[in-house]
Amino acid sequence: MDSTGNIRAKRFKQVIVVLLRLLVGGLFVFSGFVKAIDPWGSFYKFSEYFLAFGMGPMEWFALFAAFAVAAVEFVLGVCVILGAFRRGSVVLLLAMMVVMLPLTLYLAVTDAVPDCGCFGDVWVISNWATFGKNVLITAALLFLLRYNTLVPCVMGPAVHWMIGLVAFVAVMHIAFIGYLNQPLIDFRPYKVGTYMVSGAAGDDGDDYVFIYEKGGVEREFAIDSLPGDDWNYVRRRSLGHSNVVEQHGQVIPVFDGDVDVSSEIFNGGDALLLLFPDISEVSIAYTYIINQLVSMAGQAGVPAYGITSGTELQMMQWNDISMAAYPLFTADDSDIKMLARGNPAVVMILGGKVAWKRTLRSIPPAAVSKDRDVHITASQINKDMGQPFSLSSILKSMAIALLALLLINRTHRLVWWVRKLFRKPPPNGN
């Protein structure tokens, strides 16, 4: 091949490298971002993985994995897009795919977990589609491993670690807000502003899967394939939020929990909901804030209700230690987790519509230590609870930091280019 052909081939490869950087890097940025937005959802998914493989819930490691995977995917995705650590970032992503390829193939064949949770609740794809996606990503990464060095980084090597640091700080900020408060973007059915109305699912067994436990391992069974007496019944889980109603011209999701819960609470009025997905793990230290919230709601004329997936014994124990001044209802834990993240969490419904929701740990005690002689309305209850940074402010800060880094790192190039542009040509003959 002549020199012209070599140049064309090289330029073609450079174009492919740039496109793959944007596609593969963007996919990992998106995947890490949606995991960071909802770390509780990632935590539940990893726990589901561990249960499916007979490893028990491993809650401490599932929580660590939820944060770690979000950070790794997001940071490496940013590095790939900008060309930072051109070989190292690609090698690390390939190492991840070495694990994910056989795992997703196993899930596609066995369907041990319904979906991989790669993109959270934003984009649910089948296990076979997930495996196919991973095959394409691996092929793209192998190409980048060979040719990524043909295209330089947007910034110089000296600041590559700062690119990773900026991305890490941003994604962890998003993740901790999602964990300590609520996801900054709610991709679940019950967003703020959603009308909550009565109309729970029927009690047909086909609408549920049943969870049994044996030897510390939980598994799900359909109504027509329940296990023998050597398995212990734990709870049931609804198969989805298929029931909807139409109100004010829009389709509204319906809480698919216990019928008593729907008919009692979701009646188009006001309600303060205290959610306990796992009431046995709720610290007694939360009782002060809970009781103060219930008192404030009562002063504003808003009834309070507790909703839990716990057993009757667990509810009796909670009532004893917390001196609860509100009724407790039972519902499926998946429905409770879908409504709001956190254990416990609080949801305010005003006029039948979700007004706000947050975890209990995000409420400062001072915010609920109100003077009982001062009248407070329902809309004022969360006035002093504080609000997290907005998602746009975090992303803008990240973009500004990267732009400033670019300007600082490439100033000498800019000065050289400007000097060259305005330099006078030498006189003829010199």
Side-chain angles (χ1 to χ4, degrees):
M1 184 181 295
D2 58 17
S3 60
T4 303
N6 288 331
I7 292 173
R8 287 179 178 175
K10 181 179 179 180
R11 287 179 177 174
F12 177 75
K13 291 174 183 176
Q14 288 175 326
V15 171
I16 298 299
V17 165
V18 172
L19 291 176
L20 289 181
R21 280 184 184 180
L22 295 175
L23 289 174
V24 175
L27 189 64
F28 277 102
V29 166
F30 176 69
S31 179
F33 174 78
V34 296
K35 288 183 177 70
I37 282 286
D38 186 12
W40 281 99
S42 299
F43 163 68
Y44 298 143
K45 179 57 66 175
F46 278 113
S47 297
E48 190 176 350
Y49 272 109
F50 295 142
L51 288 173
F53 287 100
M55 301 168 64
M58 292 184 66
E59 293 186 357
W60 65 271
F61 188 72
L63 183 59
F64 168 78
F67 280 85
V69 172
V72 168
E73 290 185 344
F74 188 85
V75 171
L76 291 180
V78 171
C79 289
V80 168
I81 290 175
L82 297 180
F85 302 111
R86 287 178 294 180
R87 292 188 64 84
S89 58
V90 173
V91 168
L92 289 175
L93 288 178
L94 275 172
M96 181 182 294
M97 299 314 298
V98 167
V99 176
M100 295 306 298
L101 268 177
L103 175 61
T104 52
L105 176 60
Y106 173 81
L107 294 178
V109 172
T110 65
D111 208 30
V113 176
D115 66 89
C116 72
C118 301
F119 305 115
D121 293 317
V122 182
W123 184 20
V124 178
I125 59 178
S126 69
N127 285 329
W128 277 112
T130 299
F131 175 69
K133 167 186 70 71
N134 288 342
V135 170
L136 294 177
I137 290 175
T138 303
L141 288 171
L142 288 172
F143 184 90
L144 287 176
L145 183 66
R146 177 68 176 84
Y147 296 110
N148 202 25
T149 55
L150 292 178
V151 180
C153 176
V154 176
M155 304 181 205
V159 297
H160 285 185
W161 68 273
M162 297 185 70
I163 294 174
L165 179 61
V166 169
F168 177 79
V169 170
V171 73
M172 284 295 96
H173 194 172
I174 293 170
F176 274 101
I177 290 175
Y179 179 73
L180 297 175
N181 194 308
Q182 288 294 301
L184 288 171
I185 304 177
D186 196 344
F187 296 107
R188 293 157 292 150
Y190 307 116
K191 304 175 179 65
V192 171
T194 299
Y195 286 93
M196 303 289 291
V197 293
S198 179
D203 206 26
D204 187 353
D206 292 336
D207 293 332
Y208 295 90
V209 291
F210 298 85
I211 301 172
Y212 283 75
E213 178 269 336
K214 183 171 80 169
V217 177
E218 294 184 355
R219 284 188 59 189
E220 295 181 347
F221 298 88
I223 185 66
D224 57 354
S225 60
L226 296 180
D229 295 337
D230 55 334
W231 287 80
N232 298 316
Y233 173 76
V234 179
R235 60 187 179 277
R236 68 179 183 179
R237 179 174 68 83
S238 66
L239 292 176
H241 298 270
S242 56
N243 293 336
V244 295
V245 297
E246 189 167 324
Q247 179 172 314
H248 305 302
Q250 62 182 128
V251 176
I252 310 299
V254 174
F255 189 80
D256 283 339
D258 186 271
V259 174
D260 292 338
V261 176
S262 270
S263 60
E264 177 75 19
I265 300 174
F266 305 124
N267 53 18
D270 300 340
L272 179 73
L273 307 184
L274 303 165
L275 307 181
F276 308 98
D278 188 354
I279 200 168
S280 64
E281 295 296 324
V282 177
S283 171
I284 189 65
Y286 285 119
T287 55
Y288 171 76
I289 293 178
I290 291 173
N291 292 337
Q292 287 292 99
L293 277 172
V294 171
S295 178
M296 291 169 64
Q299 185 186 30
V302 177
Y305 306 92
I307 305 178
T308 179
S309 61
T311 64
E312 183 175 352
L313 176 60
Q314 289 172 335
M315 290 191 292
M316 291 176 57
Q317 292 173 339
W318 175 255
N319 282 328
D320 288 340
I321 64 175
S322 67
M323 296 179 290
Y326 47 87
L328 273 177
F329 292 88
T330 58
D332 188 83
D333 67 334
S334 61
D335 288 317
I336 299 173
K337 293 171 182 176
M338 192 71 71
L339 178 55
R341 298 308 198 197
N343 184 42
V346 58
V347 178
M348 175 62 80
I349 296 178
L350 298 178
K353 185 169 65 174
V354 177
W356 53 267
K357 51 184 173 178
R358 60 194 304 148
T359 62
L360 259 294
R361 75 171 65 202
S362 70
I363 301 176
V368 294
S369 299
K370 304 291 185 182
D371 185 348
R372 295 279 77 88
D373 294 330
V374 177
H375 179 71
I376 185 171
T377 64
S379 60
Q380 295 174 324
I381 291 179
N382 71 326
K383 183 179 65 173
D384 300 322
M385 292 182 185
Q387 298 296 327
F389 289 102
S390 67
L391 178 61
S392 62
S393 66
I394 296 173
L395 295 180
K396 286 178 182 177
S397 298
M398 175 183 165
I400 291 172
L402 290 176
L403 180 59
L405 195 59
L406 173 63
L407 292 175
I408 294 171
N409 182 249
R410 294 304 192 186
T411 297
H412 66 288
R413 292 281 187 95
L414 180 63
V415 171
W416 175 85
W417 181 80
V418 171
R419 288 183 61 185
K420 182 179 178 181
L421 184 65
F422 292 99
R423 181 182 300 165
K424 293 181 180 180
N428 291 335
N430 293 334

